[in-house]
Amino acid sequence: MGGMLLRLLMTVLALAFSLRVGLAADTQVDLELVLAVDVSRSMDADEQALQRNGYIQAFRHQEVIDALSSGPYGRIAVSYVEWAGPSFQQTIVPWMLIDGEAAAHAFADRLAAAPISRERGTSIANGLLFVGPTFEGNGIAGSRRVIDVSGDGPNNMGVPVQTARDPLVAAGVTINGLPIMIKRAGGFASIENLDIYYEDCVIGGPGAFLVTVTDIKNLASAIRRKLVLEIATRPVLLQKASETEPETRIDCMIGERLREQWMRE
């Protein structure tokens, strides 16, 4: 079943990307950006509130608003999705055009008004499978397509993360990461080197990069800095360490293996 779903996703993405240039009716933007945010219960309620508030503050910050006008069209499209286990993905703010301060503040206001979910499980992969198709049929044609994944643990449920990531990257989507490493690893599927896991197993595509958060006091500024890099017309192309090393540094199935071990014990 998973293989069939993956092949269908690849076919849809490949066809849509081949046709998107000709869709003159679509609104042209500099960037289509999905903010895919982890709301699994490994983060406590206070941390999740700070994470949500970080995105709200970012879209009200002048640095982000200024970045919006840096591209040829002077506008982007953004959606905000929360994800947790394999069966939980929820669109909090659907695709919204942001072309200046008023629209950016409106996006922040919609985000501030929405309740924050808390669900079990961590399936980065199923989150990607959910948001990938939302680029199609949204009435928007972006010069770049980016998925911004934030989370505090490795994929441990659903399909393997590379199974979901690779077709998106092959279709031209860039996946960036915001690994949140505030707490000392202690849960059954927690790992010390989450940043390396994100580099080797989650991010990919043109100019892919990550911003690591190790201090809760820096969460809001990290979110803002990352958004500015993603929105900029010519984003900084940070080389992944995994591209310079001959061997994989981490098992991309480590979350699933830790979960299996926990269930056996």
Side-chain angles (χ1 to χ4, degrees):
M1 183 66 180
M4 183 181 299
L5 177 63
L6 176 60
R7 288 192 295 273
L8 178 61
L9 174 61
M10 291 178 69
T11 301
V12 169
L13 286 171
L15 177 61
F17 269 76
S18 68
L19 295 175
R20 58 184 285 208
V21 176
L23 298 178
D26 287 351
T27 301
Q28 299 289 321
V29 298
D30 298 307
L31 170 69
E32 293 174 72
L33 174 64
V34 179
L35 301 173
V37 180
D38 180 6
V39 292
S40 60
R41 295 191 180 185
S42 54
M43 293 179 68
D44 61 37
D46 289 341
E47 289 173 334
Q48 289 187 346
L50 285 168
Q51 178 181 230
R52 169 72 70 83
N53 195 49
Y55 286 101
I56 294 168
Q57 289 180 23
F59 281 93
R60 291 174 176 163
H61 198 283
Q62 194 61 44
E63 190 177 4
V64 172
I65 293 168
D66 289 343
L68 295 170
S69 62
S70 64
Y73 298 107
R75 59 180 177 260
I76 67 172
V78 185
S79 69
Y80 188 99
V81 175
E82 292 180 341
W83 57 270
S87 61
F88 184 83
Q89 302 88 32
Q90 181 172 305
T91 301
I92 305 302
V93 181
W95 286 107
M96 184 172 174
L97 285 173
I98 303 181
D99 58 1
E101 182 174 347
H105 284 195
F107 181 88
D109 291 344
R110 291 184 67 175
L111 199 51
I116 303 173
S117 301
R118 295 193 71 214
E119 298 292 333
R120 297 186 183 279
T122 301
S123 183
I124 299 170
N126 284 61
L128 291 174
L129 289 175
F130 177 82
V131 302
T134 67
F135 286 113
E136 312 311 330
N138 61 2
I140 302 162
S143 302
R144 293 178 291 123
R145 290 178 166 183
V146 175
I147 301 172
D148 180 337
V149 180
S150 66
D152 72 337
N155 196 80
N156 60 50
M157 300 176 71
V159 302
V161 67
Q162 291 172 301
T163 300
R165 177 197 66 182
D166 292 350
L168 288 166
V169 171
V173 176
T174 294
I175 303 172
N176 296 329
L178 186 79
I180 299 173
M181 304 170 64
I182 295 169
K183 290 181 178 178
R184 184 180 181 85
F188 75 85
S190 297
I191 58 175
E192 293 283 352
N193 47 359
L194 184 64
D195 50 347
I196 294 176
Y197 175 86
Y198 262 67
E199 279 202 357
D200 286 7
C201 308
V202 178
I203 71 172
F209 69 95
L210 59 83
V211 174
T212 301
V213 181
T214 56
D215 188 329
I216 199 165
K217 293 182 294 186
N218 298 330
L219 181 56
S221 61
I223 289 172
R224 182 174 70 250
R225 179 161 54 95
K226 189 162 182 291
L227 282 172
V228 169
L229 284 172
E230 287 167 333
I231 294 170
T233 306
R234 295 180 181 178
V236 177
L237 302 183
L238 302 180
Q239 186 178 44
K240 292 167 55 181
S242 57
E243 292 174 350
T244 66
E245 299 189 7
E247 297 181 2
T248 301
R249 299 171 296 167
I250 194 166
D251 177 6
C252 289
M253 293 291 290
I254 188 170
E256 289 85 347
R257 299 191 202 289
L258 288 171
R259 181 178 180 83
E260 289 175 5
Q261 179 180 330
W262 172 76
M263 291 180 69
R264 287 197 303 268
E265 295 175 352

